Amino acid sequence: MKKHLLLVGIVAVGGLALAGCSGDRTGGGGAPEEGGEVDTSSMTIGVAMPTQQSERWIADGDNVKATLEEMGYQVDLQYANDDIPTQVSQIENMISSGANALIVASIDGTTLTDVLQTAADQDIPVIAYDRLINGTENVDYYTTFDNYQVGVQQATSLLTGLGVLDENGEETGETGPYNVELFAGSPDDNNATFFWNGAIDTLQPFMDSGVLEVPSGQTDFDQAAILRWLPETAQERMENILTIIGDTKLDGVLSPYDGLSIGIISALTSGGYSADDLPVVTGQDAEVGSVKSILAGEQYSTIFKDTRLLGETAADMVDALMHGEEPEVNDEETYDNGVKVVPSYLHESTIVTADNYEELLVDSGYYEADELK
Ligand code: BGC
């Protein structure tokens, strides 16, 4: 009996502690009444997305908005044209117009400290969307994909495309040497180093054994990084590399994003490669242009990250917080933003090639077959 009472006491105190840390994070709206209904239609969720220059972010914005609207919320969705001050002022406006929560896919993960302090001062919870927000305690939750694994998948598909690995990931015994060049994403995007580390850890043993060679010698992240993920910057870098390496024929290019892959392929074709002797080029996001390129036999692979799932998770996190509940997470150790480890929900990604695009992208309803023609 005593034991039972003690347990009830602990549960009650625990419950209060929980309510104390998460119960009133509903922005201007105040704490939901215990057991009471939450009027989602009176709540606005600010959604800050980086750019409309890439299809994936348009799909992300649409998915998050549609899911939140189905839950009854009003949504203020803004795109910042990859311009940091624009993103900061969009978030400021969301806060001053009374947003109850924020979902933010940052352009530069380190530039939001002040504006997120303003959000915290008004008890507005913040969800980092796909890209971690660094250097602040004022980011409550994070949802993304397993970004290290994305890099592993990019490198694995490069090795498979070259014939170094078979379809089961086993070494075929091919010794090359294969000439490859390496590209990385934007250095201000926390994901870029995760992709790079996953890819390099996978490729390094083959570089060490001489199966892979990098003819330009540019093997550091800083040399490979493409600021703001701009396709034209990747195209220029590829053109420069072709000049440096002269007649050396390339067998593969590690590219971390479809937009870069398109720039890279365009430099390669203007540099003399024809559709049937293009190197194996990887990618990420399964954007329509790149899936078409894969079907045309130009780009070799991409990584499919189902933005529908990410949108749902971000909306579920907000909805839980608005109801005074704890969002579900599945990783509480990987994403340290320099101030704290941000509790995260990670989704899984998949390698796409011409062999499996139909099942992954069309049968799943992500694209209509006609969109890819
Ligand atoms: C995303 C990738 C995307 C890249 C460029 C990264 O933060 O995780 O999916 O390819 O940004 O937009």
Side-chain angles (χ1 to χ4, degrees), residues 49-55 57-58 79-82:
M49 289 282 155
T51 177
Q52 280 168 306
Q53 294 310 311
S54 152
E55 284 160 20
W57 296 111
I58 297 176
Y79 284 90
N81 202 18
D82 259 343

Side-chain angles (χ1 to χ4, degrees), residues 56-57 130-131 189 191 195 229 256-257 284-285 305:
R56 90 144 272 194
W57 296 111
D130 196 59
R131 298 174 172 173
D189 178 346
N191 289 348
F195 303 148
W229 302 91
Y257 156 52
Q284 169 169 214
D285 293 337
K305 295 163 55 173

Side-chain angles (χ1 to χ4, degrees), residues 4 74 98 181 184 195 211 215 221 227 268 322 326 332 358 364:
H4 180 70
Q74 296 180 51
E181 290 295 338
F195 303 148
V211 173
F221 176 83
L227 185 65
L268 290 166
M322 295 300 101
E326 294 270 351
E332 295 187 77
E358 199 151 18
S364 75

Side-chain angles (χ1 to χ4, degrees), residues 143-199:
T143 183
T144 187
F145 291 81
D146 182 338
N147 293 307
Y148 180 88
Q149 196 53 33
V150 168
V152 170
Q153 290 174 333
Q154 287 167 337
T156 303
S157 72
L158 177 62
L159 293 166
T160 313
L162 291 170
V164 174
L165 297 181
D166 66 20
E167 65 278 11
N168 303 315
E170 302 295 331
E171 287 183 40
T172 57
E174 287 291 337
T175 53
Y178 297 103
N179 293 317
V180 300
E181 290 295 338
L182 311 171
F183 282 71
S186 191
D188 53 6
D189 178 346
N190 194 67
N191 289 348
T193 39
F194 275 80
F195 303 148
W196 175 260
N197 290 340

Side-chain angles (χ1 to χ4, degrees), residues 42-259:
S42 68
M43 294 180 159
T44 302
I45 313 305
V47 181
M49 289 282 155
T51 177
Q52 280 168 306
Q53 294 310 311
S54 152
E55 284 160 20
R56 90 144 272 194
W57 296 111
I58 297 176
D60 285 284
D62 289 349
N63 292 334
V64 175
K65 186 168 191 281
T67 315
L68 286 168
E69 284 175 349
E70 272 162 32
M71 294 170 167
Y73 296 97
Q74 296 180 51
V75 179
D76 180 4
L77 168 63
Q78 301 290 337
Y79 284 90
N81 202 18
D82 259 343
D83 182 56
I84 297 164
T86 303
Q87 185 163 62
V88 171
S89 83
Q90 287 175 337
I91 299 174
E92 277 165 0
N93 286 337
M94 290 169 185
I95 297 171
S96 59
S97 331
N100 295 80
L102 297 171
I103 295 176
V104 179
S106 58
I107 296 165
D108 176 329
T110 62
T111 52
L112 301 175
T113 310
D114 291 348
V115 70
L116 294 189
Q117 186 56 50
T118 313
D121 293 345
Q122 300 183 30
D123 275 329
I124 301 172
V126 175
I127 313 284
Y129 185 93
D130 196 59
R131 298 174 172 173
L132 187 60
I133 299 171
N134 284 306
T136 170
E137 61 181 321
N138 300 317
V139 47
D140 296 274
Y141 292 92
Y142 178 37
T143 183
T144 187
F145 291 81
D146 182 338
N147 293 307
Y148 180 88
Q149 196 53 33
V150 168
V152 170
Q153 290 174 333
Q154 287 167 337
T156 303
S157 72
L158 177 62
L159 293 166
T160 313
L162 291 170
V164 174
L165 297 181
D166 66 20
E167 65 278 11
N168 303 315
E170 302 295 331
E171 287 183 40
T172 57
E174 287 291 337
T175 53
Y178 297 103
N179 293 317
V180 300
E181 290 295 338
L182 311 171
F183 282 71
S186 191
D188 53 6
D189 178 346
N190 194 67
N191 289 348
T193 39
F194 275 80
F195 303 148
W196 175 260
N197 290 340
I200 295 301
D201 288 351
T202 309
L203 298 178
Q204 195 66 53
F206 299 97
M207 301 205 267
D208 292 344
S209 66
V211 173
L212 300 182
E213 282 174 10
V214 181
S216 69
Q218 298 181 8
T219 54
D220 291 341
F221 176 83
D222 290 347
Q223 295 170 306
I226 302 294
L227 185 65
R228 296 281 121 73
W229 302 91
L230 287 175
E232 49 277 26
T233 312
Q235 181 166 347
E236 254 169 54
R237 175 165 183 257
M238 190 72 247
E239 284 162 6
N240 291 338
I241 288 176
L242 291 179
T243 311
I244 296 169
I245 68 176
D247 289 340
T248 306
K249 198 102 179 58
L250 283 180
D251 303 300
V253 181
L254 173 79
S255 164
Y257 156 52
D258 287 345

